[in-house]
Amino acid sequence: MVNCPMCDTAIDVEEDELDEGDALTCEECGANLNVVSVDPLELASTDEEEEDDDDFDFDEDDEEEEEEEEEEDWK
C-alpha cells in the first residue's frame, strides 16, 4: 500500500501492475500523481511540477521588464 504524498491517505492500487510514469488520482484530495519509482513504490504530485513551472514564468517577466527599461534608456 502507498500513501498520497499530498494528504497521506492510503491509496488502494495493485502495486505489481504499476509502471514508472503511470498516472493516478487520489480519491481523497484529488491530487494528480505520477509513479516515480516502483521499487520501492513512490508517488509524486504532478501539481507540484505545475507550481514549479509558474516560478519559471516570473523569470521571463523579469527579462521583459529589463528589455522595456533598456528601450526607455535609448529614448
Side-chain angles (χ1 to χ4, degrees):
M1 190 175 304
V2 65
N3 290 352
C4 173
M6 301 302 289
C7 69
D8 205 38
T9 299
I11 298 176
D12 185 26
V13 293
E14 295 292 329
E15 294 182 23
D16 57 338
E17 295 182 10
L18 294 175
D19 294 316
E20 277 188 33
D22 283 353
L24 302 171
T25 301
C26 176
E27 293 179 12
E28 183 68 25
C29 70
N32 297 310
L33 309 169
N34 276 342
V35 177
V36 177
S37 171
V38 291
D39 189 23
L41 183 56
E42 186 178 341
L43 303 176
S45 169
T46 58
D47 298 332
E48 290 176 352
E49 293 173 9
E50 291 173 6
E51 290 174 8
D52 291 341
D53 290 344
D54 290 342
D55 291 341
F56 183 75
D57 291 346
F58 292 119
D59 294 337
E60 291 176 6
D61 292 341
D62 291 342
E63 289 177 19
E64 289 176 12
E65 289 176 10
E66 288 176 9
E67 289 175 6
E68 290 174 4
E69 289 175 3
E70 288 176 6
E71 287 178 11
E72 288 177 10
D73 290 342
W74 283 100
K75 291 180 180 179

